[in-house]
Amino acid sequence: MIKGPEIRHDLISGNWVIISPKRGKRPNDFKKNKKKLPCPFEGEISGHNVIIFYDNPKNWRVAVLENKYPAVVHGDGPIVKEKSRTYETLKGFGHHELVVTRSHKNNFPKLSPKDAIEVFEVFRERLRTLKKEKDVSYISIFHNWGAAAGASILHPHYQILAVPIVPRLVGTSLENSERYFKKTGRCMHCRAIDRELREKKRIVFRNKSAIVVAPYVSREPFQLRVYPLKHWPYLEETPESELKDVALALRIALIKLEKKIKKSDYNFFIHSAPVKNAKSFKHYHWHVEILPKLNISAGFELGTGIEINPVDPDDAARILRQ
C-alpha cells in the first residue's frame, strides 16, 4: 500500500495517472445520504487550512484553501523519478488548492460581473505564486459543476492543481501549436479566431477583448471555447482589462448554456502554457474550455479516442446566440 500519492507514467500509452487513495475519502453531496451533510464552506470554513481571504476573514467574498483531500501533496524532498522497463513513478508532490466563493447557490454564471472578475484575479495571483515553487511544471485550473461533471460538493468552488509534470494531453497540444507556428509563422489559435470572425457562424458572444466560439472541431455537444482576442500564452501575464473581458465572456457563455440546456452540468478548465521554460511557449494562446456533460462516451470513443458529436457546432452556436 502506498504511503502518499504517486504520479505514474505508462510508457505504452504515454498517459500520466495520479494514484491518490486519500481522494476517495472526500464527502459527496450527491450521494443518497439519510442525513443531510453540513456544507464545509459555510460560515467560518471550519476544518480547512485557509491560505488567504478576500477581503477579510469575517466578511470574505473569496477564500483560497488547502484541499483537505488533495490529489497531490506539498513535499520538501527532491522529485525523484523511479524507472522500470514498463513504468515511471514520481512522488505525488505538488499543490492542490480550492478557490471558494461565499454564496452557497451562486455558481459562476450567477456571480455578479464584479465577483466573476475577482475569481479570475485570484486565479492570476495563485498562478504567479505557485509558478515559483520548485516542484511545479504545470498548473491546472478547473471547475466541476453538477454530479455528472464530477462535483462532490454543492457549494461552488474552483480547483487549482499544480503538478511536477506536463500532462500528455497538454504536451500534445503544445507540440501541435509549436509545429504549426514553425510551419506558418502564426499561432494556430489566432488563425482559428480570424476564421471565426470572418465566417461568423460559430461565434456565441464577443466583447472588446474576448470571444466565445463553438469550435469547428467540437468533441462534445455545445462545447465552447473562450479566447482572449490578443495573443497571450499565459493567463498570469494577460493585461488587467483583457483578463476582465475573458472572465465576463465566460460568465455570459455559461448563462447562455444554462438557459438553453436543461441538463447544465459542465466542466470548465483553463489551458495556459506550462510555468517552466517560459520562453519556449510563446507560440501558445491561453483559453478556457467549456464541456457540458451531455454525451456518454461508449466503446468506440473509449477504445479509439475519437468522439462522436451529434450536434453540429454551427447549430450549437446559433441556438446559444438566440
Side-chain angles (χ1 to χ4, degrees):
M1 185 174 179
I2 61 176
K3 294 181 179 179
E6 291 183 352
I7 304 173
R8 299 178 179 177
H9 187 210
D10 185 343
L11 300 182
I12 297 171
S13 68
N15 290 327
W16 289 95
V17 176
I18 299 176
I19 308 295
S20 187
K22 193 173 182 180
R23 290 289 286 164
K25 298 178 181 179
R26 57 189 172 151
N28 195 326
D29 283 342
F30 301 98
K31 288 182 179 178
K32 293 181 179 180
N33 295 300
K34 293 182 180 180
K35 191 175 182 180
K36 188 176 180 181
L37 296 173
C39 175
F41 302 139
E42 289 291 294
E44 298 298 318
I45 323 185
S46 58
H48 286 84
N49 291 327
V50 179
I51 297 171
I52 189 169
F53 280 111
Y54 301 86
D55 190 27
N56 60 65
K58 290 187 176 180
N59 298 310
W60 63 277
R61 299 181 306 278
V62 182
V64 181
L65 320 173
E66 290 183 3
N67 197 318
K68 286 181 70 175
Y69 308 96
V72 292
V73 295
H74 182 55
D76 296 325
I79 302 294
V80 178
K81 184 179 290 187
E82 298 177 7
K83 292 185 179 182
S84 70
R85 291 185 177 181
T86 313
Y87 308 113
E88 292 179 345
T89 303
L90 298 172
K91 289 183 178 179
F93 287 168
H95 302 265
H96 195 170
E97 300 178 355
L98 302 179
V99 177
V100 181
T101 48
R102 186 71 180 247
S103 171
H104 186 74
K105 297 180 180 179
N106 291 349
N107 62 340
F108 198 85
K110 292 183 176 66
L111 292 176
S112 69
K114 180 181 177 182
D115 289 343
I117 289 169
E118 184 171 36
V119 168
F120 263 68
E121 290 173 341
V122 173
F123 291 164
R124 180 183 58 193
E125 184 172 323
R126 298 313 300 160
L127 278 167
R128 289 174 174 173
T129 298
L130 290 171
K131 70 188 296 182
K132 298 174 185 176
E133 297 289 329
K134 63 180 180 179
D135 57 355
V136 172
S137 291
Y138 186 76
I139 302 173
S140 173
I141 299 176
F142 58 96
H143 175 52
N144 306 326
W145 181 249
S152 58
I153 299 295
L154 284 167
H155 193 115
H157 62 285
Y158 311 85
Q159 300 189 53
I160 302 176
L161 193 50
V163 292
I165 51 96
V166 176
R168 184 179 66 87
L169 182 64
V170 176
T172 300
S173 179
L174 290 165
E175 289 167 7
N176 292 338
S177 176
E178 184 178 22
R179 189 180 301 115
Y180 188 90
F181 184 81
K182 287 180 177 178
K183 183 179 179 180
T184 67
R186 285 208 66 194
C187 162
M188 62 192 303
H189 295 290
C190 288
R191 182 157 284 183
I193 292 169
D194 287 346
R195 177 175 175 174
E196 300 300 344
L197 290 170
R198 185 170 63 251
E199 294 183 355
K200 297 181 172 61
K201 292 179 180 179
R202 290 172 293 276
I203 297 175
V204 174
F205 175 79
R206 68 165 293 187
N207 54 29
K208 184 179 179 181
S209 306
I211 188 169
V212 181
V213 301
Y216 179 76
V217 186
S218 290
R219 69 180 191 263
E220 298 286 350
F222 294 91
Q223 176 182 349
L224 298 175
R225 194 170 286 159
V226 187
Y227 286 109
L229 283 167
K230 288 186 179 179
H231 181 84
W232 297 102
Y234 298 92
L235 180 153
E236 65 270 26
E237 294 181 0
T238 306
E240 184 84 16
S241 61
E242 295 177 42
L243 186 68
K244 288 180 178 179
D245 275 355
V246 173
L248 295 174
L250 173 63
R251 177 179 173 271
I252 292 295
L254 292 174
I255 287 173
K256 289 176 175 290
L257 196 64
E258 289 196 346
K259 283 184 176 180
K260 295 294 182 179
I261 309 300
K262 290 182 180 179
K263 185 182 178 183
S264 55
D265 291 4
Y266 55 80
N267 307 98
F268 76 69
F269 43 91
I270 295 170
H271 279 309
S272 187
V275 297
K276 295 289 188 266
N277 302 318
K279 291 183 179 179
S280 62
F281 301 117
K282 291 184 177 180
H283 54 82
Y284 197 64
H285 193 128
W286 83 269
H287 55 279
V288 185
E289 297 271 4
I290 305 171
L291 286 178
K293 307 304 287 188
L294 300 172
N295 231 6
I296 297 176
S297 294
F300 178 77
E301 293 87 347
L302 296 173
T304 65
I306 300 173
E307 299 292 337
I308 300 174
N309 182 358
V311 178
D312 184 335
D314 292 22
D315 292 336
R318 176 179 51 78
I319 290 168
L320 294 175
R321 278 198 307 266
Q322 290 173 353

